[in-house]
Amino acid sequence: MNDRPLSFAETFFLGLAGLVGFIGLWTFLSVSGIVPRQFLPNPLDVATRFIQLLSAPFAGATLPMHLASSFERYAYGVLLAAFVGVPLGLLMGWFRLLDDIVTPIFDGLRFIAPIAWVPFAALWFGTGIGGPVMIIFAGAFPPCLINAYRGARFVEPRLIEAGRMLGTPNSRMILEVLLPAAVPSIIAGLRVSAGLGWQSLVGAELIVAAAGVGFMMVQAQGSVQTQTVMVGMIAIGLVGMLIDVLLRQGEAWLRRRRGLEA
Amino acid sequence: MGSISFQSVDKVFGGSVKALDDINLEIADKEFVAIVGPSGCGKTTCLRMVAGFEAASSGTVSVNGRPVTSPGPDRAVVFQQFALFPWKTVRENIDLGLRNKNLAIGERSELIAGALKLMNLESHADAFPHQLSGGMQQRVAIARAYVLDPEVLLMDEPFGALDAQTRVVMQEELVRISRRNPRTVLFITHAVEEAVYLADRVAIMTRRPGRIKEVLDIKAVREREAWDKYPKIEDVMDLESFVHLRTHIWKSLREEKGFKDV
Ligand SMILES: Nc1ncnc2c1ncn2[C@@H]1O[C@H](COP(=O)(O)OP(=O)(O)OP(=O)(O)O)[C@@H](O)[C@H]1O
Ligand SMILES: [Mg+2]
């Protein structure tokens, strides 16, 4: 990658320095009054509010409860994206006809930001579980499909020839040649999908009427509670980081296993 | 039944690179024909056309009198670069073609056991290809082709990756197998001795654009001089009749500039 890999301690302290600098600047801007308090709440207020919200309900639920209902929608959206995107990508990688039919539609649709689907998601699937899940799906679907497709298309041609010479039928070709060859690419795609799905969450929750971090933030904005909005942002950031770290670990574990196995 | 026929076959790549020029060759059922020629003269291309991976630009390639249209297990290929499935064990690699034939599990295990024994791979049945040496991987590729009991066996420098000792063992083995259970073989090699030792006929190609320069009848000499009564390859290689043929082919190849492997 680059010249010299940094040691863990170095990486840790550099990261810490960045974080301290960032919070320092934030504190300075808000406490000094350069930025008016109603525009930028100060870090201490936000931290206090964060701790409060862990147990005290706001907009009908505590922060962990909001997070739990967000996570449920998120999980449905991302799983749906994976269960549709990966098989479709593999099929497109094998059947040229399907590729030619789907690719133009997909290439147009994938540039539409998930949030742009909000009105139709609400109209078609309602504001219960359906609408929000569709918006998260819209965010998470493209990388699932693209990576499965690329993985399948760029299988070593020799292996496909070997499969064909052995008389392998299409279904077996997809499951036993394309899929295993595409696994690294699929995993990478799932990780990107997981991130984009989480990013689409607030947009998705603009239209929910019950609970969720996004819902909490919309309610707080309505009553000009900037600290609560900020708490929501931080919670989303933290959970997003956590998801990414866990998936990276999972990916590394899978790669190690494959290194031994394949 | 497994006759192969090249009739006025030309192959042009990308509209301008003429790889093969008017190839005519008839290979009878159960005949073993070796092709030798300078690197890049189009040997692999010939074999790939019989396999059904490549179409002739003009002329016809047929097997059993029918023009080849697609790959199939009646024409098993041993690839120059193995082309084993990295995520399958040795056993699974050999099994795939048998599963595609819908054979019962009992029959399959018997056939696999036989192929493993033949190629001396019994102790590596559950290893993955990357855990094997190049020579072992090549033997797996041969086992995978042999186990299908194909009408036509297409071998592209199958012993290229083997060390000299293993190579000799494999050559003797191949002679033994093909005398016991003869089948049509198209065999490509750079090693002149190997061609003379194994083949019924040897076709010599010119440098690119490849043409067939000469076809030598080895079988007539082998039978007349009773080569088969010598069990060891080195004894055959000492015979005057063998040396004579070998030298003839060498000289013929020497005339083709660019032959650098002798
Ligand atoms: N797919 C392709 N596209 C363009 N040119 C090709 C392609 N395949 C082969 N060629 C060219 O055709 C010629 C013959 O190639 P081929 O692989 O048949 O040679 P070969 O006799 O098997 O050589 P070697 O002994 O090195 O294996 C070469 O000049 C090669 O560059
Ligand atoms: Mg070749």
Side-chain angles (χ1 to χ4, degrees):
Chain A
M1 272 158 64
N2 45 31
D3 339 322
R4 181 178 67 94
L6 297 176
S7 74
F8 176 75
E10 282 170 319
T11 320
F12 180 79
F13 281 111
L14 283 172
L16 192 66
L19 196 63
V20 168
F22 175 76
I23 293 175
L25 184 68
W26 176 10
T27 313
F28 172 74
L29 288 174
S30 57
V31 172
S32 65
I34 296 177
V35 180
R37 197 165 180 155
Q38 63 270 33
F39 287 156
L40 185 66
N42 84 43
L44 197 64
D45 290 350
V46 173
T48 317
R49 185 73 183 132
F50 196 107
I51 292 164
Q52 266 176 12
L53 282 173
L54 288 179
S55 50
F58 174 82
T62 62
L63 180 60
M65 284 153 72
H66 282 302
L67 276 172
S69 44
S70 290
F71 196 84
E72 190 189 346
R73 288 184 192 105
Y74 163 76
Y76 282 130
V78 171
L79 286 179
L80 192 63
F83 279 115
V84 179
V86 171
L88 185 59
L90 290 174
L91 288 170
M92 284 165 63
W94 183 243
F95 295 107
R96 200 43 79 75
L97 192 69
L98 188 66
D99 185 6
D100 290 343
I101 294 171
V102 176
T103 297
I105 308 171
F106 176 72
D107 275 346
L109 290 182
R110 74 191 166 102
F111 291 107
I112 300 171
I115 202 160
W117 288 104
V118 163
F120 283 109
L123 200 60
W124 296 339
F125 300 102
T127 57
I129 185 89
V133 164
M134 184 203 149
I135 293 161
I136 293 165
F137 174 86
F141 181 69
C144 284
L145 183 129
I146 293 174
N147 281 273
Y149 170 76
R150 295 230 170 105
R153 274 308 289 277
F154 297 112
V155 180
E156 231 191 290
R158 285 282 171 276
L159 293 182
I160 292 188
E161 289 179 353
R164 300 226 290 152
M165 139 328 245
L166 294 170
T168 314
N170 284 329
S171 57
R172 198 167 273 167
M173 204 74 175
I174 291 172
L175 287 176
E176 297 188 30
V177 180
L178 298 198
L179 175 61
V183 160
S185 175
I186 291 172
I187 305 275
L190 289 178
R191 198 161 62 77
V192 177
S193 281
L196 289 178
W198 189 248
Q199 277 180 38
S200 318
L201 188 71
V202 178
E205 290 181 343
L206 287 175
I207 58 171
V208 300
V213 195
F215 173 73
M216 179 190 93
M217 288 162 68
V218 175
Q219 298 298 308
Q221 192 202 9
S223 49
V224 205
Q225 290 205 33
T226 46
Q227 317 93 305
T228 304
V229 175
M230 198 72 100
V231 168
M233 289 166 69
I234 292 172
I236 287 174
L238 287 177
V239 173
M241 269 167 64
L242 191 68
I243 291 171
D244 196 57
V245 167
L246 289 178
L247 288 176
R248 263 177 214 280
Q249 298 282 321
E251 190 180 354
W253 177 79
L254 260 172
R255 276 182 197 283
R256 271 198 307 277
R257 226 173 77 101
R258 254 176 99 81
L260 289 179
E261 270 190 16
Chain B
M1 276 295 291
S3 64
I4 303 172
S5 154
F6 290 85
Q7 284 165 331
S8 317
V9 173
D10 289 352
K11 180 70 189 181
V12 181
F13 283 109
S16 59
V17 182
K18 184 148 200 178
L20 294 174
D21 182 20
D22 194 28
I23 300 288
N24 287 286
L25 185 66
E26 299 291 329
I27 302 174
D29 184 40
K30 304 211 189 317
E31 194 182 16
F32 193 129
V33 171
I35 300 183
V36 295
S39 189
C41 73
K43 303 182 294 295
T44 297
T45 307
C46 285
L47 183 135
R48 287 173 57 78
M49 290 194 297
V50 182
F53 298 139
E54 211 92 64
S57 304
S58 67
T60 325
V61 178
S62 12
V63 170
N64 290 329
R66 278 187 305 277
V68 172
T69 51
S70 62
D74 56 323
R75 285 154 288 135
V77 180
V78 178
F79 292 86
Q80 200 168 355
Q81 317 84 337
F82 323 144
L84 299 175
F85 300 105
W87 43 82
K88 288 185 184 290
T89 62
V90 168
R91 183 190 303 283
E92 290 164 350
N93 266 283
I94 299 173
D95 197 17
L96 181 59
L98 299 174
R99 284 167 58 219
N100 294 340
K101 283 186 164 181
N102 294 318
L103 299 182
I105 185 148
E107 191 177 351
R108 274 159 41 209
S109 4
E110 240 168 72
L111 287 168
I112 295 170
L116 290 170
K117 188 160 188 286
L118 186 66
M119 291 293 136
N120 202 2
L121 287 163
E122 287 141 306
S123 50
H124 296 93
D126 298 309
F128 287 91
H130 77 279
Q131 298 169 319
L132 305 177
S133 69
M136 285 164 149
Q137 293 184 35
Q138 191 60 286
R139 280 184 277 154
V140 179
I142 296 171
R144 179 174 73 176
Y146 254 101
V147 80
L148 295 175
D149 195 17
E151 291 172 4
V152 171
L153 201 53
L154 305 168
M155 306 175 91
D156 196 350
E157 300 192 33
F159 304 147
L162 305 184
D163 63 81
Q165 286 79 26
T166 318
R167 190 172 182 135
V168 165
V169 173
M170 294 298 301
Q171 288 164 344
E172 289 173 350
E173 199 59 50
L174 188 56
V175 162
R176 209 165 54 73
I177 299 164
S178 47
R179 300 287 179 267
R180 196 177 54 203
N181 181 11
R183 68 194 76 201
T184 316
V185 182
L186 182 59
F187 187 98
I188 291 173
T189 181
H190 273 131
V192 174
E193 270 115 348
E194 183 169 279
V196 177
Y197 180 68
L198 293 173
D200 296 327
R201 285 191 294 153
V202 174
I204 306 171
M205 288 181 69
T206 63
R207 68 172 189 278
R208 209 180 83 198
R211 269 173 286 114
I212 294 197
K213 185 180 178 181
E214 194 177 354
V215 182
L216 295 175
D217 190 352
I218 310 286
K219 191 179 184 188
V221 181
R222 172 185 296 121
E223 285 174 355
R224 196 177 63 225
E225 305 286 330
W227 290 0
D228 283 353
K229 75 173 190 242
Y230 303 93
K232 293 225 160 60
I233 188 168
E234 56 268 31
D235 297 330
V236 178
M237 279 163 61
D238 274 345
L239 298 175
E240 200 189 324
S241 51
F242 186 98
V243 174
H244 180 76
L245 282 167
R246 185 194 64 191
T247 311
H248 179 90
I249 297 172
W250 262 359
K251 282 187 180 151
S252 183
L253 286 169
R254 264 289 168 81
E255 290 164 15
E256 300 302 321
K257 270 196 299 252
F259 191 73
K260 39 191 192 297
D261 297 81
V262 176

